[in-house]
Amino acid sequence: MFKAKILLVGPSESGKSVLANFLSDATESIGGEYSPTQGVRILEFEFQSVTGLGKNAGCEVELWDCAGDSKFESCWPALMKDSNGVVLVFNPDMPSHLKEIETWYSSFVSTQGGQDSQCLLIAHHKPGSGADNRRLGLSPQLSKLNMIHSNLEEDPEEVRQEFRHYLGSVVKSLSESREREEMSIIN
């Protein structure tokens, strides 16, 4: 079984904690009063049947729900250490989030040498927002990422399936990295 450390990052009030709770089955309800994450919350769970290498494999997930407040920026290098993937979350109904998500991408992916295949961009629609899945005005960098629209009121299982698919690409990358490491030891 593979173990993956996935960072959930993005602007404040984008829905990261709601998504983290949902994906880890940490809560029954989707809504609730907003309470900003302080620093980071780490949720651990298993995802069975993650398709990564043409076969199904289990994956132990450490989902790091990172605070969206820039006052925690000094902690970011520690959060990024040994991470295997980054999920960027933003609320498309908040115009400032479109610009902010570029900064998050730059800080957590491009400056760290991360691969776009290990990133997932989630346009998270809050309950009652009247989700609009139109094409967003994303930068060219963000446009090439795999992006999904998330609405936990309307289609929660689609979000879970997309996350499982994303985990499959992370597991594939982990497996390929492990194989390269083993081959370098043999040679």
Side-chain angles (χ1 to χ4, degrees), residues 29 40 73 79 100 107-108 112 117-118 121 146 148 150 153 156 162 166 172 182:
S29 66
V40 68
E73 192 170 347
L79 300 177
E100 285 182 61
S107 297
F108 280 85
Q112 300 302 311
S117 64
Q118 291 176 279
L121 184 60
N146 183 25
I148 65 167
S150 159
E153 275 188 333
E162 290 289 345
Y166 163 70
K172 182 178 181 194
E182 289 171 354

Side-chain angles (χ1 to χ4, degrees), residues 83-104:
S83 64
N84 307 110
V86 177
V87 177
L88 299 151
V89 181
F90 70 101
N91 180 344
D93 301 320
M94 296 182 77
S96 64
H97 281 200
L98 282 175
K99 191 68 182 158
E100 285 182 61
I101 203 67
E102 290 179 35
T103 302
W104 287 93

Side-chain angles (χ1 to χ4, degrees), residues 67-149:
D69 192 322
S70 60
K71 73 180 180 184
F72 296 106
E73 192 170 347
S74 63
C75 301
W76 291 356
L79 300 177
M80 290 183 255
K81 183 174 174 20
D82 299 326
S83 64
N84 307 110
V86 177
V87 177
L88 299 151
V89 181
F90 70 101
N91 180 344
D93 301 320
M94 296 182 77
S96 64
H97 281 200
L98 282 175
K99 191 68 182 158
E100 285 182 61
I101 203 67
E102 290 179 35
T103 302
W104 287 93
Y105 174 82
S106 175
S107 297
F108 280 85
V109 182
S110 61
T111 59
Q112 300 302 311
Q115 299 174 7
D116 288 345
S117 64
Q118 291 176 279
C119 295
L120 177 63
L121 184 60
I122 299 180
H124 181 68
H125 301 273
K126 293 194 174 180
S129 70
D132 182 3
N133 292 356
R134 70 188 183 288
R135 204 67 197 138
L136 301 168
L138 297 173
S139 70
Q141 262 182 327
L142 295 176
S143 294
K144 61 187 175 182
L145 297 178
N146 183 25
M147 185 181 95
I148 65 167
H149 286 268

